[in-house]
Amino acid sequence: MQVKKYLLKCLHRLQKGPGYTYKELLVWYCDNTNTHGPKRIICEGPKKKAMWFVLTLLFASIVFWQWGVFIRTYLSWEVSVSLSVGFKTMDFPAVTICNASPFQYSKVRHLLKDLDQLMEAVLERIVTSEPTHANATKALNFTIWNHTPLVLIDERNPHHPVVLDLFADHHNDSASSSPAPGRTCSAQECRVAMKLCCLNGTMCTFRNFTSATQAVTEWYTLQATNIFSQVPTQELAKMGYPGEQLILACLFGADPCSYRNFTSLFHPDYGNCYTFNWGMTEKALPSANPGVEFGLKLILDLGQEDYVPFLTSTAGARLLLHEQRSYPFVKDEGIYAMSGTETSIGVLVDKLERKGKPYSQCTVDGSDVPVRDLYSDHNTTYSIQACIRSCFQDHMIRNCSCGHYLYPLPPGEKYCNSHDFPDWVYCYSELRRSLGQRETCIRMCKESCNDTQYKMTISMADWPSEASEDWIFHVLSQERDQSTNITLSRKGIVKLNIYFQEFNYRTIEESAANNIVWLLSNLGGQFGFWMGGSVLCLIEFAEIVIDFLWITVIRLVAFAKGLRQKRAQARYAGPPPTVAELVEAHTNFAFQPDVANHGPRPGASPDEETLPIPGTPPPNYDSLRLQPLDVIESDSEGDPI
């Protein structure tokens, strides 16, 4: 019954509305609020009322301005970085080692025979600045050369540069392309450039170099890539350095190890690479203690005498320390260990923990990155390097119709080569220089939220020393080749020591610079300082807003009712009929008006005309007149509403 009574009161209030106007509501609020200022507006004299009204409006504006500043600062999602130092036993990092030369020259000589002959002729032409002998030139295979030739650009006349062919006794003018025989220039006078063409040579561009060494190295690498891209990966792996030849000795702490403890991985830039403690099939190995004695010790045989002469100009071992199950990007993140030295690498660990959305665009596992990770086939974790390279390969396939040899290939696609894709070098060069492509990939790829970085302290010394060189090389030669003669030399030997300097690790963690507590504290502080308010004052203000809306709704309802009543009254010329008149009009036919307009009969006298019979008029009760139901004083039980 109580619920029914409450609902009836709500219905009556909806019909009646609150018993005050907008002005009365404002006066009530100013008289009862706990906020400083509004009370003085209605309690003081006219002058003070104006002064307090201006002050209240001014301070309220300052409060809203400060609130906007704090809310905008909070929504900027700024972060603060904290650095903490911890101490615990840590897993030893994954160590990837590669030879600087990707292949053994004795195994790839047959693939590079024509290219090497062409390279020797190019070097002879550049160094001697004389035309190559005709017989020697005819013996060269110009199929490779015609796709991407090297040229000399004579810039002695800057306004009219001349392009010279390396293998002809004539040149082509850059503007008219007309031959002018008998003109040559030396490397000091001319600049070596690479000519890149597409559409059967109808559209060409030149890639200039400041040094002929850079030009011929880039050209040879590009041509070798074109050759190796047509050979299956399994065959290329057989042409690289096997693990048993590269790794002569291995020791982890006090436990011996060998090349069998390494995971083989073919890298297009460095051939066969080997990773220790990658954690793919077995649990990561922990380090017992910090120090050299508890780290990884390796002796490597680089086999420098079998390097590819024009492909590799650096001698040494390339190595990288990285997390378990992460792909080793040795070319971009690795370091060199010089041959004939003992290189000691002390390791410190930095752990990075970034805040996710909305504070940054980092990703946990790469599932929200709109780029297909081509390195996921190796069962490795996400990294921004893998994303950027996958993105470039995707652009390469879409623009050039083939994939680059240095990056993984999606299923169903082919690597670029000059036989199947004659214009791929020009397309690759343009895409490589495209700023829009780089910005697109950087925008699409995201950093990893959690990352581990290994900071290295590197020191080197000659190894072995002159006093111990003889017996060390004798022992290593006997172990490798079962020979009593020395088959190794200082040029091809590298010794590595990799260890933790200490078990202290640093954690660099991002946290929210402005959290919700900070926001509420500043909002409340500004409101309390300028207007002496609190949360209850805000509730009072919300209440007055609700009352304003309630009065507005009630007035709109009353206005709608008034419109309906006016439309109903418009059907009558005079005042609205009473209830009695409406009833008699339907029951007493004596009061019905004569519908037919009967005129006097012709020939009848006035006395004979029939007069209307008067009827008894109905009582005129004003209480029965229809009145609008504007006010309901109480409910059915007599309680005031």
Side-chain angles (χ1 to χ4, degrees):
M1 295 300 295
Q2 295 295 330
V3 175
K4 182 178 179 181
K5 179 179 178 181
Y6 178 77
L7 294 176
L8 287 174
K9 287 184 177 181
C10 291
L11 179 61
H12 294 166
R13 184 175 178 85
L14 179 63
Q15 296 177 343
K16 174 184 177 182
Y20 39 74
T21 62
Y22 290 127
K23 181 179 180 181
E24 293 173 347
L25 194 59
L26 285 175
V27 172
W28 177 89
Y29 172 75
C30 294
D31 191 37
N32 293 276
T33 182
N34 292 316
T35 307
H36 298 183
K39 289 183 179 181
R40 310 297 296 270
I41 296 177
I42 64 173
C43 297
E44 302 293 342
K47 294 182 179 180
K48 286 189 175 182
K49 281 185 178 181
M51 181 189 69
W52 279 104
F53 177 78
V54 173
L55 290 177
T56 302
L57 186 62
L58 174 63
F59 293 153
S61 301
I62 294 176
V63 168
F64 287 124
W65 170 61
Q66 289 292 323
W67 281 5
V69 172
F70 285 121
I71 293 175
R72 186 171 61 253
T73 303
Y74 174 76
L75 295 179
S76 63
W77 310 115
E78 297 178 354
V79 298
S80 60
V81 180
S82 61
L83 176 64
S84 60
V85 179
F87 179 85
K88 69 174 183 178
T89 302
M90 292 180 289
D91 292 335
F92 198 77
V95 180
T96 299
I97 57 173
C98 310
N99 203 329
S101 178
F103 305 106
Q104 300 181 75
Y105 189 53
S106 59
K107 296 182 179 180
V108 297
R109 189 190 304 269
H110 64 286
L111 295 176
L112 303 176
K113 179 181 178 181
D114 294 339
L115 180 60
D116 289 344
Q117 293 177 355
L118 199 59
M119 183 68 171
E120 292 174 358
V122 169
L123 293 176
E124 180 184 356
R125 176 65 180 86
I126 292 176
V127 173
T128 62
S129 69
E130 293 293 336
T132 307
H133 195 270
N135 295 332
T137 303
K138 291 180 180 179
L140 298 177
N141 183 0
F142 283 98
T143 304
I144 301 175
W145 179 262
N146 293 332
H147 286 292
T148 310
L150 287 173
V151 296
L152 294 175
I153 300 180
D154 187 357
E155 296 181 342
R156 284 175 287 188
N157 183 1
H159 302 288
H160 191 70
V162 180
V163 179
L164 304 176
D165 192 350
L166 283 172
F167 291 107
D169 194 16
H170 66 274
H171 77 284
N172 292 333
D173 190 288
S174 60
S176 61
S177 299
S178 60
R183 177 120 176 224
T184 61
C185 66
S186 62
Q188 294 80 9
E189 298 172 342
C190 295
R191 180 173 298 179
V192 182
M194 190 185 303
K195 185 178 181 181
L196 307 174
C197 297
C198 67
L199 303 177
N200 295 325
T202 58
M203 182 184 298
C204 295
T205 183
F206 296 93
R207 183 182 174 190
N208 297 327
F209 297 90
T210 57
S211 172
T213 302
Q214 296 174 338
V216 295
T217 301
E218 287 286 330
W219 177 82
Y220 188 91
T221 302
L222 191 63
Q223 300 299 339
T225 298
N226 183 66
I227 295 173
F228 293 139
S229 63
Q230 304 178 55
V231 181
T233 304
Q234 295 79 3
E235 297 296 327
L236 293 176
K238 295 178 182 179
M239 301 175 186
Y241 288 85
E244 58 270 21
Q245 179 180 342
L246 179 65
I247 303 171
L248 293 180
C250 176
L251 188 67
F252 181 67
D255 300 324
C257 52
S258 67
Y259 70 93
R260 295 183 180 89
N261 300 105
F262 289 75
T263 303
S264 177
L265 174 69
F266 182 80
H267 196 285
D269 288 294
Y270 297 103
N272 293 330
C273 295
Y274 302 92
T275 304
F276 177 79
N277 196 32
W278 202 1
M280 286 295 185
T281 58
E282 299 179 357
K283 186 178 180 181
L285 298 175
S287 180
N289 280 303
V292 180
E293 298 301 322
F294 301 94
L296 178 65
K297 303 181 183 66
L298 296 171
I299 298 178
L300 307 179
D301 178 19
L302 302 179
Q304 188 178 159
E305 66 279 355
D306 204 15
Y307 274 24
V308 181
F310 300 123
L311 185 61
T312 305
S313 58
T314 304
R318 190 77 172 175
L319 62 102
L320 173 66
L321 277 62
H322 54 98
E323 285 187 279
Q324 279 76 25
R325 302 182 66 85
S326 64
Y327 189 86
F329 293 95
V330 185
K331 184 177 181 179
D332 303 310
E333 302 175 353
I335 61 173
Y336 275 114
M338 189 170 58
S339 59
T341 62
E342 178 177 351
T343 303
S344 297
I345 302 175
V347 181
L348 294 175
V349 180
D350 286 347
K351 295 183 177 181
L352 279 70
E353 299 178 2
R354 300 180 178 89
K355 291 282 290 183
K357 292 183 179 180
Y359 297 94
S360 70
Q361 297 298 321
C362 70
T363 178
V364 177
D365 54 4
S367 59
D368 54 343
V369 176
V371 177
R372 178 182 177 182
D373 187 4
L374 300 179
Y375 294 87
S376 60
D377 295 339
H378 298 279
N379 198 25
T380 54
T381 57
Y382 171 85
S383 66
I384 190 172
Q385 294 88 351
C387 179
I388 291 176
R389 285 154 182 79
S390 300
C391 180
F392 179 83
Q393 185 74 307
D394 180 67
H395 283 80
M396 185 77 183
I397 293 174
R398 285 189 293 173
N399 290 274
C400 307
S401 303
C402 59
H404 197 276
Y405 165 73
L406 297 180
Y407 309 105
L409 197 64
E413 302 295 339
K414 297 178 62 177
Y415 280 124
C416 295
N417 61 82
S418 299
H419 181 267
D420 298 328
F421 307 95
D423 300 336
W424 81 269
V425 178
Y426 178 88
C427 178
Y428 167 69
S429 179
E430 293 296 319
L431 189 63
R432 185 179 177 185
R433 292 186 297 178
S434 173
L435 180 61
Q437 181 273 327
R438 293 196 296 269
E439 291 180 347
T440 300
C441 290
I442 292 175
R443 184 173 60 253
M444 295 175 64
C445 294
K446 302 178 181 179
E447 289 184 313
S448 178
C449 291
N450 299 310
D451 192 13
T452 301
Q453 297 180 353
Y454 296 98
K455 305 297 182 181
M456 295 177 286
T457 303
I458 304 172
S459 60
M460 291 183 294
D462 289 338
W463 185 87
S465 63
E466 292 183 1
S468 60
E469 178 178 355
D470 185 67
W471 72 266
I472 288 178
F473 285 155
H474 267 97
V475 172
L476 292 177
S477 298
Q478 198 280 332
E479 290 177 347
R480 190 188 70 168
D481 301 324
Q482 289 77 39
S483 174
T484 57
N485 299 324
I486 296 178
T487 58
L488 298 174
S489 66
R490 182 183 296 273
K491 295 180 180 180
I493 294 296
V494 175
K495 185 177 181 181
L496 298 175
N497 299 319
I498 305 171
Y499 58 93
F500 280 121
Q501 283 184 313
E502 54 187 23
F503 274 170
N504 291 338
Y505 65 93
R506 298 187 305 176
T507 301
I508 304 174
E509 183 180 4
E510 291 183 350
S511 59
N514 307 312
N515 53 24
I516 191 65
V517 176
W518 173 89
L519 178 63
L520 294 178
S521 299
N522 284 279
L523 295 181
Q526 293 296 321
F527 189 40
F529 177 76
W530 292 105
M531 299 192 67
S534 62
V535 177
L536 295 178
C537 298
L538 295 178
I539 296 176
E540 291 176 354
F541 184 76
E543 181 187 10
I544 199 67
V545 170
I546 294 174
D547 287 341
F548 265 83
L549 295 177
W550 181 257
I551 292 177
T552 304
V553 170
I554 296 303
R555 291 198 170 188
L556 289 176
V557 172
F559 179 74
K561 288 184 177 181
L563 286 179
R564 289 197 300 269
Q565 291 176 359
K566 288 181 179 180
R567 291 171 183 171
Q569 293 175 358
R571 293 181 299 176
Y572 302 95
T578 63
V579 175
E581 291 174 347
L582 293 175
V583 171
E584 288 297 332
H586 290 281
T587 57
N588 191 346
F589 296 100
F591 288 93
Q592 294 295 332
D594 191 3
V595 178
N597 187 11
H598 301 283
R601 287 179 298 176
S605 63
D607 296 338
E608 294 179 357
E609 292 182 0
T610 306
L611 296 176
I613 303 174
T616 304
N620 186 11
Y621 298 119
D622 292 338
S623 61
L624 295 179
R625 183 177 299 275
L626 294 176
Q627 297 289 343
L629 186 59
D630 292 334
V631 179
I632 301 178
E633 294 297 336
S634 62
D635 58 2
S636 59
E637 296 182 8
D639 295 333
I641 305 302

